[in-house]
Amino acid sequence: MPPQPPAPPVFYSFPKVDVLQDSLANFVVKAQRDAVEKRGKFTIALSRGSLAANLKGLVGQENVQWDKWEVFFCDEAAVPLDSEDSNYHSNILSFLSDVPIPAGQIHTIDANLLDDLEELADQYEKQLIDHFAKSNAARYPTFDLMLLGIGPDGETASLFPGHELLSERDAWVAYLDDAPRGPKRRITMTLPVLTHCYRAVFVVSGNEKAEMLHAILDRPEEGLPCSRVRPASPGLVFFFADSEAAGLTNYPPTAFRWIDNEKEAEEAVAAAKRKAARRAAEEGEE
């Protein structure tokens, strides 16, 4: 039996950044509740860049089982953990330092290995193997939630357009020493890891991201790294955008609500497309 095609992306657009942040926090807490009920823990992977600032809505949330969280990082610069370039550090500043996740459940790179990128990537992959191999016999780790950003060229994590790492199929974590912007030396989870999670969520805000979001959702055939993150069944992918970032995108937005499975995602996207078609028809009659 051939594999089921991925569910369509679900696109949420919010009028302001603070509404986006509150809705994202609501979504993360629901994803946590779903994961704990089904698997007894919540595995989440966080990206670098502006994403961290949009997670501050998690601080002060009620009914969060912080002791069930296992936090990993989608990518990380080969820098000390207190560096401004560190993914870990940006997330500590934005929310991790304000919530009671046990320190042993926040999984960082080994800062003693910064001079050896290959060993740095291997050691972080071993952390994933130690955590996931005990409960997951699949080829790749299956995160409950991966929170991803959108870079200026359509990159996500540290997977850049045209880079050879986009073709990596064996390693869970790989390294690069030629990132086109920011710290050149990094490690990153590979595309197969991003496409085997239960839920992948892209978060984007600001009009400077409008053209790129338009390209990712409206021209997926161009194959930008963000467009390639289409989790295998039963995984789902979501885009959270404020009105400025969503301004150029034609892909129809769905009213924000919890979507639990592929069938609900397909129905929500189909309804959004019908609504957009009706609106276009009405405007054409005016």
Side-chain angles (χ1 to χ4, degrees):
M1 185 175 179
Q4 186 171 332
V10 175
F11 175 38
Y12 298 131
S13 177
F14 302 93
K16 296 180 180 180
V17 172
D18 59 346
V19 180
L20 181 156
Q21 291 173 345
D22 289 344
S23 301
L24 178 62
N26 177 274
F27 184 97
V28 172
V29 172
K30 287 184 176 179
Q32 171 233 250
R33 186 178 305 132
D34 181 66
V36 172
E37 287 177 356
K38 294 176 179 176
R39 291 174 287 280
K41 60 185 177 181
F42 178 51
T43 54
I44 181 171
L46 306 175
S47 291
R48 56 187 296 110
S50 60
L51 170 68
N54 285 313
L55 296 177
K56 61 184 180 181
L58 284 166
V59 178
Q61 285 281 324
E62 298 180 354
N63 302 316
V64 180
Q65 295 175 271
W66 297 113
D67 62 317
K68 302 294 187 182
W69 285 47
E70 297 283 349
V71 180
F72 292 83
F73 298 92
C74 297
D75 64 329
E76 184 58 278
V79 296
L81 293 173
D82 60 356
S83 167
E84 291 184 358
D85 288 325
S86 164
N87 183 3
Y88 165 79
H89 183 67
S90 64
N91 280 285
I92 282 286
L93 292 179
S94 65
F95 87 102
L96 285 177
S97 61
D98 296 314
V99 298
I101 300 173
Q105 291 167 210
I106 299 176
H107 304 274
T108 67
I109 59 170
D110 184 343
N112 295 314
L113 301 174
L114 297 179
D115 292 334
D116 188 334
L117 279 177
E118 184 174 6
E119 185 62 26
L120 189 69
D122 286 348
Q123 192 278 336
Y124 204 67
E125 180 170 301
K126 287 175 184 175
Q127 291 192 52
L128 292 179
I129 292 171
D130 288 344
H131 185 81
F132 285 96
K134 297 173 184 176
S135 58
N136 183 356
R139 174 69 176 84
Y140 301 103
T142 305
F143 279 92
D144 294 307
L145 181 63
M146 303 192 82
L147 292 175
L148 302 165
I150 294 176
D153 294 326
E155 70 269 21
T156 194
S158 286
L159 298 171
F160 293 89
H163 199 282
E164 62 184 2
L165 284 188
L166 285 172
S167 301
E168 176 61 53
R169 292 293 178 268
D170 295 323
W172 293 5
V173 180
Y175 70 89
L176 64 162
D177 57 10
D178 56 354
R181 71 177 61 81
K184 288 188 173 298
R185 303 174 71 252
R186 311 180 184 195
I187 66 168
T188 183
M189 293 185 189
T190 57
L191 190 59
V193 176
L194 272 58
T195 58
H196 281 79
C197 62
Y198 287 108
R199 290 179 176 88
V201 175
F202 287 94
V203 184
V204 59
S205 59
N207 55 22
E208 69 276 7
K209 297 293 182 74
E211 178 56 46
M212 187 49 61
L213 183 62
H214 167 50
I216 291 164
L217 283 175
D218 295 332
R219 303 194 301 272
E221 68 278 2
E222 293 181 4
L224 291 169
C226 289
S227 298
R228 297 189 188 193
V229 181
R230 297 286 301 278
S233 177
L236 302 171
V237 61
F238 301 84
F239 287 79
F240 282 62
D242 72 348
S243 57
E244 291 187 353
L248 300 178
T249 298
N250 297 317
Y251 192 92
T254 295
F256 179 64
R257 65 179 179 85
W258 176 251
I259 290 177
D260 188 59
N261 53 53
E262 294 161 288
K263 184 174 185 294
E264 290 182 7
E266 291 167 357
E267 291 173 348
V269 172
K273 289 181 177 179
R274 289 194 298 269
K275 182 178 179 180
R278 286 196 301 270
R279 185 184 300 118
E282 290 168 358
E283 291 174 353
E285 294 172 358
E286 294 178 357

